[in-house]
Amino acid sequence: GGRHAAPVTTAAAGKQEAGRRGGKGAPPRAVAPSPDVAAASPAESDVAIFEYVKAANPEMSIVPILAHAPELHEAGPTRLIPFDLSAELELDYPATAPNLYAAFVRVDTGDAIETEATATSQSFYVIRGTGSTTLTGSGEVLTWSEGDLFTVPATEGRLLHQATGGGHGGAALYWVHDGPLLQYLGVAPTEDKFSPTIYKRERMMAEVDAIKQSPGSENKNRLGILLANARFPKTKTLTHTLWSLLNTIGPHEVQRPHRHNSIALDFCVAAEAGKVYTLMGEKIDSNGDIIDPVRCDWTSGGVFVTPPGWWHSHHNESGELAWVLPMQDAGLYTHQRTLDIRFVDGELRNLARGEIRGAAFQNFGQRLQLDDTDFCELDCPTE
């Protein structure tokens, strides 16, 4: 319950599925053992063996492009409103992405609600309202207001959220944590990796303003701030698993395509309805434009999913500044050196030099020349 689709058609969803599967071939099957090597003991009963070429890139359920609408948290009683995509991801525990869970928390003025998660990192962005969150295990209290963001490490006990005011009859929080990652691994936290931390709206806005006033800012296509924790100086991320950015896109501007291996759960802080959107697709052409893109509109107070590895560009056709707060599992990917963030213009420059990093371009190098005489035939899926 509570899940709303972004303006994505059935055809687009089918395109996602076909693209993810490569458009051909049946799923690999295990090689049947010969009678003389059949399981001889219970310890061998779970053994499965596959031919490498057929199983090296196994078929997985796709990460769907869906949205969690703001209307869900703008009315009704105090409650948790999960963005649960576990059915689409074929998981047997609540999840919005393979590593992340997201939800809205609505708290009516004068009311309270508890949340609980077996997670190493929790993040709460205050969509609207004022109130406080108490860590019941330690008794620590974090006081918050609209536009603040706070993080909580692994903690004993529940979190108690109380609202003292806010529009639409109360406060609303955007909650993301890494519980699904721990569920997949079958583990529980053993230590706190950081302390409860709050990022006040005033401080964040001051940092954005400082960037606007810096020399050369008028030539910057992106005016945003990475939210980091001093406990993680190498990854420069919100926590050791979570990553977040407060990003802006100016009036009548386009932020050219980029991609990364982390998933993004993009919360729209503010945007003019129908005039700000993201285009997504798996491939780009030789001009750096996304091929056959899926459009997802920004809706203030709503969240949408950007699948991992997909090229995406942001477009503001309004006369107002638009704001977005993506939450990603990129803290983990950065630590693993697998984030692989790429900006399209850099990839085009590489291509002009005859360099390519992976299958970034449609139909590029059906035959890739290795030297004057040798060619490597690439098995590239075609549409």
Side-chain angles (χ1 to χ4, degrees):
R3 287 185 275 114
H4 286 228
V8 179
T9 65
T10 302
K15 180 183 66 181
Q16 257 193 294
E17 180 68 25
R20 186 67 66 194
R21 297 187 180 189
K24 61 181 178 179
R29 295 182 180 179
V31 177
S34 59
D36 58 326
V37 295
S41 71
E44 296 181 76
S45 61
D46 288 337
V47 171
I49 299 174
F50 299 92
E51 181 192 350
Y52 170 72
V53 173
K54 293 182 178 179
N57 190 24
E59 180 180 314
M60 303 287 287
S61 59
I62 64 171
V63 174
I65 302 172
L66 292 174
H68 211 38
E71 292 81 5
L72 296 169
H73 61 70
E74 291 177 346
T78 296
R79 68 198 187 282
L80 179 68
I81 309 165
F83 191 8
D84 186 9
L85 302 180
S86 55
E88 290 84 350
L89 296 170
E90 299 177 358
L91 300 174
D92 58 5
Y93 44 83
T96 313
N99 294 335
L100 301 177
Y101 171 92
F104 294 141
V105 183
R106 176 181 169 87
V107 193
D108 289 346
T109 299
D111 207 350
I113 188 173
E114 290 184 327
T115 59
E116 186 175 23
T118 301
T120 73
S121 303
Q122 301 184 59
S123 171
F124 294 85
Y125 175 77
V126 184
I127 301 172
R128 67 174 181 277
T130 57
S132 64
T133 294
T134 302
L135 285 65
T136 59
S138 66
E140 184 172 355
V141 178
L142 299 172
T143 301
W144 40 259
S145 58
E146 181 174 331
D148 294 346
L149 183 147
F150 60 96
T151 56
V152 178
T155 180
E156 294 185 5
R158 300 182 176 184
L159 304 181
L160 177 66
H161 312 281
Q162 298 173 291
T164 56
H168 297 285
L173 307 173
Y174 170 45
W175 179 30
V176 179
H177 65 70
D178 62 3
L181 171 62
L182 276 64
Q183 286 269 12
Y184 176 72
L185 296 174
V187 299
T190 59
E191 62 177 297
D192 297 350
K193 300 292 289 186
F194 58 97
S195 300
T197 305
I198 188 163
Y199 302 77
K200 301 298 290 183
R201 178 183 183 276
E202 294 78 10
R203 183 171 182 180
M204 289 189 284
M205 296 305 296
E207 294 290 346
V208 173
D209 288 339
I211 295 173
K212 289 181 181 179
Q213 301 303 320
S214 63
S217 63
E218 66 278 2
N219 299 319
K220 291 182 178 179
N221 184 241
R222 286 170 168 81
L223 287 176
I225 53 171
L226 283 172
L227 304 179
N229 189 302
R231 299 284 185 94
F232 313 109
K234 292 184 177 180
T235 62
K236 297 177 174 61
T237 50
L238 189 69
T239 76
H240 55 298
T241 62
L242 300 181
W243 176 104
S244 192
L245 161 77
L246 183 59
N247 188 32
T248 65
I249 177 171
H252 308 292
E253 285 190 356
V254 173
Q255 292 181 349
R256 294 267 286 161
H258 70 290
R259 64 165 303 283
H260 37 74
N261 288 334
S262 54
I263 196 169
L265 305 179
D266 295 296
F267 178 80
C268 177
V269 178
E272 185 174 345
K275 294 190 176 182
V276 186
Y277 55 91
T278 292
L279 297 180
M280 310 178 198
E282 290 190 285
K283 298 175 182 177
I284 53 177
D285 62 22
S286 57
N287 295 317
D289 296 321
I290 298 172
I291 296 169
D292 197 14
V294 176
R295 171 170 167 160
C296 193
D297 286 283
W298 293 19
T299 304
S300 297
V303 181
F304 63 90
V305 178
T306 299
W310 278 47
W311 290 97
H312 47 287
S313 57
H314 305 309
H315 305 254
N316 184 356
E317 296 176 355
S318 78
E320 303 293 332
L321 196 67
W323 296 79
V324 67
L325 182 86
M327 190 66 63
Q328 302 181 18
D329 48 3
L332 180 64
Y333 280 85
T334 302
H335 169 68
Q336 294 175 318
R337 284 72 165 174
T338 56
L339 181 60
D340 193 23
I341 187 168
R342 305 186 192 184
F343 296 91
V344 69
D345 293 313
E347 294 301 302
L348 291 175
R349 286 191 292 271
N350 290 338
L351 182 60
R353 293 193 294 265
E355 301 173 3
I356 186 168
R357 300 187 301 159
F361 297 86
Q362 184 181 40
N363 298 327
F364 174 81
Q366 293 285 338
R367 289 165 56 85
L368 178 65
Q369 186 169 359
L370 301 179
D371 55 36
D372 290 340
T373 57
D374 296 327
F375 290 83
C376 174
E377 297 289 345
L378 300 184
D379 183 18
C380 300
T382 58
E383 297 184 294

